[in-house]
Amino acid sequence: MSAIGLYARATPGFDARVEHSLAVLREAAQAHAGRIVQATSLGAEDMVITDLIARHRLAIAVGTLETGMLHAQTVALIDRIRERYGLAVEVYRPDPEVALRFVKTHGERAMYQSVALRKDCCGLRKVEPLGRMLAGRSAWVTGLRREQSNARAVVPFLDTEDAERVKVNPLADWSWADVWHYIASHDVPYNPLHDEFMPSIGCAPCTRAIAVGEDFRAGRWWWEDQDLKECGLHVKEDDPAAATEAPQASMLAMPLDETLGAHR
Ligand code: SF4
């Protein structure tokens, strides 16, 4: 069954949530004109946000991190966004020399050797390129949702904790069913790997399919202690647990068997 068949469900208040998300994005685009970017992981939530930006012609740039380790299906979404929406996606890659040196020194499977090496890999492939994406920008848009994890249960629509830059989370109050209901009703392009029991898709070496009954996040950095899952993109210095994954890494912890009765 496809991800749409598994997860999409119309629930009360859906239209109001969409309208509110749009209002949040519209206000942010006006308040940060020319200085706002959507940092898309190309995951389901972020594809919804890109659709909202394109559909309503919001002046928000779209940027992504091409780590050099993504699945071909994920990379293909960059062109699909361009073709479907006519949006020029900014692509940020790691410094090739730094990446090469890291692989030469530690090997291609360094992320499995230790948490420190895995974080170093995330640092050079994600955190440093993200810094370039955000340079000169006063706001960024993410697909964080409160439902994704306990640490994100209080995600605000506008996170102003960083004095330098506002984080805009327009889908903060959306459910996983909402995300897929929007994708289904607006024919939003999405990663076909979502149809292969990969609700959370990151770099290829660090993502696996999940089994029935497993937490949606179980397929990310599955060999590590849950408390150590962190790539640094959403780290809050006083709350390490708040940054347990990349933007696309977490989904609603809902056993697959509970979703089987969901409809489009
Ligand atoms: S998710 Fe895995 S492959 Fe990707 S940057 Fe982090 S450690 Fe490296």
Side-chain angles (χ1 to χ4, degrees):
M1 188 183 286
S2 70
I4 287 176
L6 278 173
Y7 311 127
R9 195 170 62 251
T11 55
F14 173 78
D15 290 341
R17 285 191 287 282
V18 174
E19 282 307 310
H20 183 256
S21 299
L22 181 56
V24 168
L25 284 170
R26 208 187 292 279
E27 283 172 26
Q30 286 170 356
H32 300 275
R35 293 173 297 129
I36 181 169
V37 62
Q38 180 203 1
T40 175
S41 66
L42 306 169
E45 287 97 337
D46 286 323
M47 294 307 295
V48 167
I49 293 171
T50 299
D51 186 273
L52 285 167
I53 289 170
R55 190 175 294 276
H56 300 280
R57 300 174 188 274
L58 304 179
I60 298 175
V62 178
T64 196
L65 306 176
E66 214 293 51
T67 65
M69 304 293 263
L70 301 177
H71 299 87
Q73 296 93 325
T74 306
V75 176
L77 276 171
I78 297 171
D79 282 340
R80 287 182 70 191
I81 289 172
R82 290 186 180 123
E83 290 160 9
R84 169 69 181 270
Y85 300 115
L87 287 178
V89 179
E90 300 175 8
V91 179
Y92 294 84
R93 296 182 171 85
D95 180 316
E97 283 184 22
V98 174
L100 189 63
R101 200 180 316 129
F102 181 82
V103 171
K104 274 187 174 170
T105 306
H106 300 292
E108 293 195 345
R109 297 173 60 81
M111 67 287 292
Y112 304 126
Q113 292 175 30
S114 70
V115 172
L117 280 177
R118 199 271 293 161
K119 287 185 180 177
D120 286 348
C121 187
C122 285
L124 73 93
R125 294 185 186 278
K126 292 180 174 178
V127 179
E128 188 279 329
L130 178 68
R132 276 185 269 128
M133 186 197 297
L134 299 184
R137 278 163 166 153
S138 56
W140 58 312
V141 181
T142 85
L144 295 180
R145 294 182 300 111
R146 292 171 191 154
E147 199 185 55
Q148 288 169 330
S149 69
N150 288 338
R152 293 180 179 175
V154 292
V155 164
F157 289 103
L158 292 181
D159 185 341
T160 56
E161 223 170 277
D162 178 352
E164 204 177 333
R165 194 172 292 110
V166 176
K167 189 189 285 186
V168 183
N169 308 306
L171 306 189
D173 64 347
W174 285 40
S175 67
W176 187 227
D178 285 341
V179 170
W180 285 95
H181 181 60
Y182 185 96
I183 287 173
S185 21
H186 295 79
D187 192 25
V188 176
Y190 69 88
N191 194 326
L193 293 174
H194 286 308
D195 294 331
E196 297 179 23
F197 298 102
M198 288 190 193
S200 175
I201 303 165
C203 294
C206 301
T207 303
R208 67 161 170 77
I210 61 171
V212 172
E214 272 192 309
D215 187 286
F216 275 24
R217 299 160 58 193
R220 300 298 304 283
W221 301 306
W222 62 92
W223 64 92
E224 289 185 358
D225 184 308
Q226 290 292 316
D227 294 337
L228 299 176
K229 289 184 177 184
E230 176 186 329
C231 77
L233 295 185
H234 293 287
V235 173
K236 288 189 177 179
E237 288 179 7
D238 59 344
D239 182 12
T244 53
E245 300 125 349
Q248 69 202 67
S250 64
M251 302 290 169
L252 166 64
M254 179 166 57
L256 269 181
D257 48 0
E258 284 183 18
T259 72
L260 293 176
H263 56 81
R264 292 180 186 220

